[in-house]
Amino acid sequence: MSDARDEAFDVAVVGAGAAGLATALALSRDGIRTALVGRHAPVADGRTVALLDGSVRLLKALGCWEAIAPSAAPLAELHLIDDTGSLFRPPPARFVASEIGLDAFGWNVESARLIEALRERARAVPGLALIEQDAAGATAGPEAASVALQGGGMVCARLMVAADGARSPLREAAGIPVKRWDYPQAALTTILAHARDHREISTEFHTRKGPFTLVPLPGGRRSSLVWVTGEAQAERLRDLDDPALARAVERQAQALLGRMAIDGPRGVVPMRGLLATRPVGPRLALVGESAHVFPPIGAQGLNLGLRDAAFLRDLVVEARHHGQDPGSDALLARFARSRGFDARLRTAAVDALNRSLLSGLLPADLLRGAGLLALATIAPLRRVVMREGILPRFGTPRLMQA
């Protein structure tokens, strides 16, 4: 690790969250002169993230997974249960990772542990410059870009990467428009202890107010909860005492895991979406939530951001091999085509699922129910959907490949 503000870098990554850390580590492992700009702020306890198989392969390549694995639980099966009360109610759908040759679809880990492991690794990498200050602004010129620091000074690089979140100052400074939308919902999150073993099964109940999801944590009898419901109800649930909230969760879960107890802090996450109209600007690439924000449904958000990081690494390494400019319009155009398509596809899928639950219209129920029934009964279709849900078949970044 170094802190060299007077050097000229190939890439300056702005934002020290999970997507920014992963991007900086992916680039620096291949000898790309990289600076990571941003304060290492505290991470809220109690949130978890389901890291899909491709993301775990990336973390292994970055040298982080060994530190994360003891705190992660495998997701060997996914069960979807229709609890909407619809007239057309399909039977539960069961997805098993071994059917597509995997031990697990992914691993669930507390966000704080993931960030801690990425930071530990970043501090141990000799060629990565960590500049723990917030960016005050950025400008792009014909040959390079400059990031101004709030504490004074400047970082110059041929390519800037905005990993600075949903309100990205770099994206705003570049004038990149975004599409934003809100849902009439919020997600209650917490950690649960329960009487029965989860058996490495993630269970998602589809209700009229949104998905209610129990995701395994290590130990067999702990799970994370993401309960999507109306905004007022989410706030009411958050304000219950622990025993009352545990009883409410147990009822909603149909006593699937037996008696419940609250075993961690709780939070309420607004249900919002954001999509940049293009994930690039002059000498600028957007990764993670600067480019796309998902509601906490379907484990798409961070996994998509990690694919951004891995794909950008491939392009920059290739450009160096051919003696090309890593901030060139041609490189950024390739990044925009691939990442823009992936983000739009995932956004549409998550949005369609959530809105179909909220609509209550019989045609929407029929389509959703028929889709679940087809997945449950048509094995080839189920396997294709499982593979695409984990990692796209085409354009898979090298560090995510088997």
Side-chain angles (χ1 to χ4, degrees):
M1 179 194 77
S2 64
D3 186 347
R5 293 166 216 179
D6 296 327
E7 292 183 28
F9 295 94
D10 294 316
V11 184
V13 180
V14 178
L21 284 159
T23 304
L25 286 167
L27 292 165
S28 61
R29 77 181 287 278
D30 286 285
I32 306 298
R33 294 173 300 165
T34 306
L36 177 63
V37 179
R39 288 182 299 115
H40 291 186
V43 180
D45 291 331
R47 301 256 187 106
T48 67
V49 58
L51 297 164
L52 300 180
D53 183 69
S55 296
V56 172
R57 293 179 191 279
L58 173 63
L59 293 169
K60 288 178 179 177
L62 300 182
C64 302
W65 183 245
E66 187 175 339
I68 298 169
S71 304
L75 310 180
E77 295 188 24
L78 170 62
H79 294 181
L80 301 182
I81 300 172
D82 190 302
D83 194 25
T84 61
S86 168
L87 291 174
F88 185 82
R89 183 179 179 180
R94 178 171 172 257
F95 303 90
V96 182
S98 60
E99 191 175 353
I100 55 172
L102 297 176
D103 294 330
F105 293 118
W107 281 259
N108 194 36
V109 64
E110 293 188 46
S111 298
R113 180 66 197 116
L114 170 64
I115 294 290
E116 181 185 358
L118 287 166
R119 287 175 180 169
E120 288 172 356
R121 182 60 183 156
R123 292 189 179 106
V125 172
L128 176 57
L130 300 185
I131 301 171
E132 297 191 36
Q133 295 185 49
D134 286 332
T139 57
E143 301 294 331
S146 299
V147 179
L149 305 174
Q150 285 191 357
M154 192 81 68
V155 177
C156 296
R158 300 172 77 189
L159 172 66
M160 291 184 297
V161 179
D164 49 349
R167 298 180 180 178
S168 170
L170 265 67
R171 184 191 66 224
E172 296 295 324
I176 300 173
V178 298
K179 178 185 177 183
R180 304 176 191 269
W181 61 97
D182 297 296
Y183 300 95
Q185 301 159 288
L188 174 74
T189 62
T190 192
I191 292 174
L192 307 166
H194 38 79
R196 297 177 188 153
D197 198 303
H198 52 57
R199 296 179 295 134
E200 300 177 354
I201 298 171
S202 179
T203 305
E204 182 170 297
F205 293 85
H206 288 172
T207 81
R208 276 290 174 227
K209 295 183 178 179
F212 170 96
T213 310
L214 301 167
V215 191
L217 283 170
R221 297 197 174 186
R222 294 178 76 240
S223 295
S224 59
L225 169 71
V226 181
W227 187 349
V228 177
T229 185
E231 293 172 293
Q233 185 182 8
E235 293 173 1
R236 181 184 66 79
L237 290 166
R238 178 193 58 196
D239 294 337
L240 294 175
D241 62 27
D242 282 358
L245 178 57
R247 288 193 296 271
V249 172
E250 187 178 335
R251 284 194 300 271
Q252 188 65 49
Q254 302 176 12
L256 180 73
L257 296 176
R259 190 172 182 84
M260 297 279 190
I262 306 303
D263 196 33
R266 61 186 77 174
V268 170
V269 182
M271 291 283 287
R272 297 173 180 163
L274 177 150
L275 187 63
T277 57
R278 59 184 188 277
V280 297
R283 294 199 171 273
L284 176 68
L286 310 183
V287 302
E289 291 195 341
S290 68
H292 40 72
V293 174
F294 286 80
I297 297 174
Q300 292 301 317
L302 179 58
N303 289 286
L304 192 62
L306 294 178
R307 284 206 295 280
D308 295 340
F311 188 77
L312 183 63
R313 171 262 173 201
D314 287 353
L315 293 180
V316 173
V317 169
E318 181 183 335
R320 184 187 61 174
H321 178 73
H322 294 290
Q324 298 170 346
D325 182 354
S328 70
D329 291 344
L331 182 148
L332 291 168
R334 290 178 62 192
F335 180 81
R337 283 194 298 272
S338 171
R339 305 314 308 141
F341 175 78
D342 197 5
R344 288 190 298 271
L345 183 65
R346 307 287 161 167
T347 295
V350 170
D351 185 70
L353 169 61
N354 193 44
R355 292 189 189 278
S356 74
L357 293 173
L358 293 174
S359 74
L361 297 174
L362 184 58
D365 282 348
L366 286 170
L367 284 172
R368 188 185 66 255
L372 283 175
L373 184 60
L375 291 174
T377 57
I378 304 174
L381 174 63
R382 183 172 60 250
R383 287 192 286 270
V384 168
V385 170
M386 285 192 289
R387 290 191 187 100
E388 287 299 309
I390 298 301
L391 195 64
R393 180 177 300 180
F394 301 106
T396 303
R398 293 185 183 90
L399 297 185
M400 290 185 160
Q401 293 176 7

